[in-house]
Structures are given as structure tokens and as C-alpha cells.
Amino acid sequence: TLIKTVYLRVLHNKVSDIVGVETRDLCGVSLRLSYRVNFEGDSNKWFDVENYVRFLTDHIRSLLRHAIRQYGVEEFYNNAVRIIRDTILGLPNESGIRTGKAFEENNMRIYDVEVLGVSIEDETIAEMLVGAQHTVVEQTLEIAAEKRNLDLTQQKEVINQQIAQAQAATQQLAIDLEIQEVQKRLSLNLAKIESEVE
């Protein structure tokens, strides 16, 4: 739905589009996207393209169709936002900043893109993907619970070992004290015997 105006908004234009693409395994996917667009540089070139919205959307649709064709439906569905942003805005540099998509024809540049929706057109495949994701989440939660149980068991066993060591140390101390007492009694008895003998 185009908005016709005699003015050109130079900064922070918003262009929305719905793009139909196909994955490597011939599964149709519908994308709802919103582009953020600035006009930069020489203002004499800004009007060189009669309908910049159509120009932008046609070009980006072509880019996305080619890029997404390289992925299977599951891989694309799991990484859709990253793949779309990498395709349109380029890979982030060391600082995490993307260069955006520049158009030399009219000095237009897409500086950001929002992925508003990714829907699989085949309902059966969509349900299978959602089911697979639910299974992964369930398994992840089960593993996390088992790890927590393992940690709890290990901590309990460490405490039990420390208790056993403390009890053993106490028993050993009691035995040592008893041995000392028996030795003292023995010494006393020997002394008495010696005294009686004398």
C-alpha cells in the first residue's frame, strides 16, 4: 500500500513487505519484513528512481529468494532472523555493526530490517517443525533437571563423606584415648607389682 506524497522523507523511512520464498527442499515460506531506509549523499540522485519502494522491494525479494534457496526448511526456520539480516544488511564487523544495503542508483540505504513474521505455507510441515521444537525444549528441560539432580546428589554425597570422615576421626580419637588409658593402667599395675615384689 503506497502512500503518495509530494515530499521525500530522507531519514528513517519505513517500508514494509511480504515476501514469498522457497527453501532448498521446495517448501514455501512467507516473510513479513519492515525495512528502515535513509537517503544519503548527493541529493540530485534521490529522484533518479521513479518508485523507490518498488525498486527496493523487487531487489530485496530477489536477494532473499536466492539466499534462502541455499537452506533446508528446518535450518532456515531455526535461523531465519540471522539469515535474513545477514543477507540484507551484510555480516556484522568486529564491533557488531552491519554496513546495510546501499543502492547506487538513488543513494538509498537500508540501515536496519525487522523480521515481523516467518510462516511456513504448508501447515503439516509447520506443525512438524513446531512439534520438533517442542520436543527439543522438553529434552533440554529434562537434561537440565537431570543435571540439577546430579549436582544435588554430588553435593549430598560430599556432605555424607565429610560426615563419615568426621565420625571416623572421632572414633579414632576415642580409640587413641582408650589406648593411652590402658597403657597408663598397665604402667600403674606394673609399678604396683614391682613395689609388691620389692
Side-chain angles (χ1 to χ4, degrees):
T1 304
L2 292 176
I3 300 173
K4 295 191 176 182
T5 173
V6 295
Y7 302 102
L8 174 66
R9 184 167 180 172
V10 176
L11 296 176
H12 314 303
N13 270 307
K14 182 177 178 181
V15 177
S16 299
D17 194 19
I18 297 175
V19 184
V21 296
E22 219 174 50
T23 58
R24 183 176 57 218
D25 37 20
L26 305 179
C27 183
V29 182
S30 180
L31 310 175
R32 287 178 53 241
L33 307 174
S34 179
Y35 310 109
R36 296 289 188 270
V37 181
N38 285 345
F39 286 86
E40 304 171 341
D42 183 6
S43 59
N44 292 323
K45 293 184 70 177
W46 292 351
F47 300 94
D48 285 356
V49 175
E50 182 178 351
N51 184 344
Y52 79 88
V53 173
R54 174 57 60 83
F55 180 69
L56 180 151
T57 53
D58 285 350
H59 184 70
I60 298 301
R61 285 177 182 182
S62 175
L63 275 180
L64 287 173
R65 285 177 181 139
H66 174 72
I68 293 168
R69 190 80 174 178
Q70 314 303 315
Y71 297 93
V73 64
E74 185 177 9
E75 183 183 3
F76 172 69
Y77 191 72
N78 292 334
N79 303 286
V81 174
R82 179 187 59 78
I83 292 169
I84 292 168
R85 289 177 64 82
D86 287 351
T87 302
I88 298 172
L89 303 175
L91 297 173
N93 60 20
E94 295 173 355
S95 306
I97 299 171
R98 299 174 187 266
T99 57
K101 175 66 178 167
F103 295 81
E104 294 181 6
E105 293 83 355
N106 61 346
N107 284 347
M108 174 173 62
R109 186 171 71 86
I110 301 173
Y111 66 89
D112 197 11
V113 60
E114 294 177 27
V115 180
L116 304 176
V118 177
S119 55
I120 308 296
E121 293 176 357
D122 187 318
E123 290 183 10
T124 305
I125 293 175
E127 288 174 5
M128 289 171 64
L129 286 172
V130 171
Q133 287 183 334
H134 285 175
T135 303
V136 169
V137 170
E138 287 174 6
Q139 291 172 344
T140 303
L141 291 174
E142 286 177 10
I143 290 171
E146 292 298 329
K147 284 183 177 177
R148 284 194 297 273
N149 286 339
L150 174 61
D151 291 340
L152 182 62
T153 303
Q154 287 175 335
Q155 290 174 4
K156 282 182 177 178
E157 291 303 321
V158 166
I159 292 170
N160 289 338
Q161 289 170 7
Q162 290 174 343
I163 290 172
Q165 288 173 350
Q167 289 174 340
T170 302
Q171 289 175 353
Q172 185 62 47
L173 180 61
I175 291 170
D176 292 342
L177 290 174
E178 194 174 342
I179 289 172
Q180 289 175 7
E181 189 178 342
V182 168
Q183 287 176 341
K184 287 179 183 176
R185 268 197 242 120
L186 178 62
S187 298
L188 178 62
N189 289 338
L190 287 174
K192 283 181 180 178
I193 292 170
E194 287 177 1
S195 177
E196 287 175 4
V197 167
E198 287 178 1

